[in-house]
Amino acid sequence: MRLYIKRDDLIHPVISGNKWRKLKYALVEARQKGVTEIISFGGGYSNHLHALGYCCNKLGIQFMALVRGNYRATPTPMLKDLADWQAQIVYLDKATYQLRSQTDFIAKWQAAHPHALIIPEGGSQTQALAGVAELLNEQTQHFSHIVLPVGSGGTLAGLIAAASTNAADTRLIGIAVLKGQDYLEQQVSALLPQHSFDNWLIDHDFHFGGYAKRNQGLLAFCSTFYQQTQVPIEPVYSGKAAWALKQRLADGYFPPGSQILLLHTGGLQGARTQ
Ligand SMILES: *Cc1c(COP(=O)(O)O)cnc(C)c1O
């Protein structure tokens, strides 16, 4: 058995990991079309808003971040960065934010900003799949299993689609970082070009109670992991995936001879939540 780690956290200090993979082609197209404004959605600690806000600032595109909840009095480090990068931040109450993927709601924002490109939460849209596929296509090694954290599902969907054409016996194991049994499976399936893929599953045993929830054990694991490997991980995404992998290895889940890839999706911004 062999364990590998793919360090997409090293792509860039701000646009790290899967956010770059998912946004790449949306941004290429935005540039080609001369888009002057981008609107997207996320929580107060969103790596997606943070990465996208940085890119827009560099590309001279106006960025509007629609944020879940009101952080006006206590902006997070990510929201402060967004403000420094000239993003326009709009706080939505939680009930309104719930509507974020509904057609009517999107249409209303589009009508108010007719020239804007609207990108869904997490950058998880069909266009993201091609960027994520590049991650797998860069590998010369064959893996029996790839383990990765799952938030909105775009990264997992991209890997499922890429593996189905180039690495048919690779199993994709998503570790849910939030409570989302069934919901997450539906999100992933909705992004796939066809629904018959059976090369994947989502493990729901390691969300630690919900998005960004953690305990002392997980925090201690993240710091020990760093001490032993010099690979930084954080408790929101990569820490939960690494913890889950360790647990499943201990359970004897992986057959002898497995070649396992742990995907470090980046996002060390998550270390700033506390
Ligand atoms: C956003 C994010 C994820 C979740 O990816 P999805 O494609 O939304 O499932 C995982 N890891 C990190 C570091 C992230 O920032």
Side-chain angles (χ1 to χ4, degrees):
M1 183 137 41
R2 264 222 157 97
L3 176 60
Y4 299 81
I5 180 162
K6 166 74 172 127
R7 296 208 47 200
D8 266 8
D9 59 311
L10 297 175
I11 288 179
H12 186 273
V14 179
I15 327 164
S16 85
N18 66 347
K19 297 305 178 284
W20 168 244
R21 302 284 184 185
K22 292 197 287 183
L23 288 170
K24 177 178 170 185
Y25 287 106
L27 290 172
V28 167
E29 192 183 323
R31 288 268 283 183
Q32 280 164 356
K33 290 187 172 162
V35 166
T36 54
E37 183 178 12
I38 291 181
I39 300 177
S40 195
F41 306 86
Y45 294 95
S46 168
N47 290 329
H48 161 69
L49 291 180
H50 195 252
L52 184 54
Y54 178 88
C55 290
C56 286
N57 181 250
K58 292 286 170 205
L59 297 172
I61 297 172
Q62 176 61 48
F63 181 50
M64 182 182 276
L66 305 183
V67 176
R68 177 179 184 271
N70 187 347
Y71 294 86
R72 206 169 272 113
T74 52
T76 64
M78 277 89 142
L79 293 171
K80 284 186 191 155
D81 284 347
L82 283 179
D84 288 345
W85 299 329
Q86 271 85 46
Q88 221 178 320
I89 299 174
V90 177
Y91 294 107
L92 301 180
D93 62 63
K94 290 177 185 171
T96 308
Y97 191 82
Q98 279 291 96
L99 307 172
R100 66 192 176 280
S101 37
Q102 295 195 1
T103 320
D104 292 357
F105 183 73
I106 306 273
K108 204 189 81 186
W109 282 95
Q110 191 72 77
H113 300 262
H115 302 295
L117 170 67
I118 301 183
I119 297 181
E121 183 181 62
S124 290
Q125 51 187 348
T126 315
Q127 207 179 23
L129 303 191
V132 174
E134 289 174 354
L135 185 182
L136 195 58
N137 300 338
E138 283 166 11
Q139 308 306 311
T140 49
Q141 174 79 31
H142 179 76
F143 303 106
S144 57
H145 303 82
I146 300 177
V147 177
L148 69 150
V150 177
S152 62
T155 309
L156 178 57
L159 289 174
I160 292 167
S164 72
T165 51
N166 296 334
D169 58 345
T170 300
R171 304 271 311 150
L172 286 312
I173 302 173
I175 307 302
V177 304
L178 47 92
K179 280 194 207 168
Q181 186 121 33
D182 302 333
Y183 162 78
L184 283 177
E185 279 82 356
Q186 282 161 24
Q187 291 269 107
V188 171
S189 297
L191 289 167
L192 292 170
Q194 61 183 62
H195 300 295
S196 58
F197 296 117
D198 59 0
N199 58 346
W200 62 286
L201 61 87
I202 298 179
D203 188 335
H204 294 274
D205 286 349
F206 302 99
H207 55 62
F208 288 77
Y211 183 72
K213 297 264 166 56
R214 75 279 304 274
N215 62 25
Q216 284 309 318
L218 179 61
L219 294 173
F221 171 74
C222 290
S223 75
T224 308
F225 189 96
Y226 177 62
Q227 280 159 22
Q228 292 180 350
T229 63
Q230 309 308 307
V231 177
I233 56 173
E234 46 66 44
V236 181
Y237 296 104
S238 50
K240 288 183 183 177
W243 171 289
L245 174 57
K246 183 171 182 232
Q247 187 60 50
R248 291 303 181 224
L249 283 165
D251 295 345
Y253 175 87
F254 298 99
S258 293
Q259 304 278 314
I260 305 163
L261 179 70
L262 174 64
L263 174 61
H264 194 321
T265 44
L268 295 164
Q269 301 294 335
R272 295 161 75 192
T273 55
Q274 23 141 29

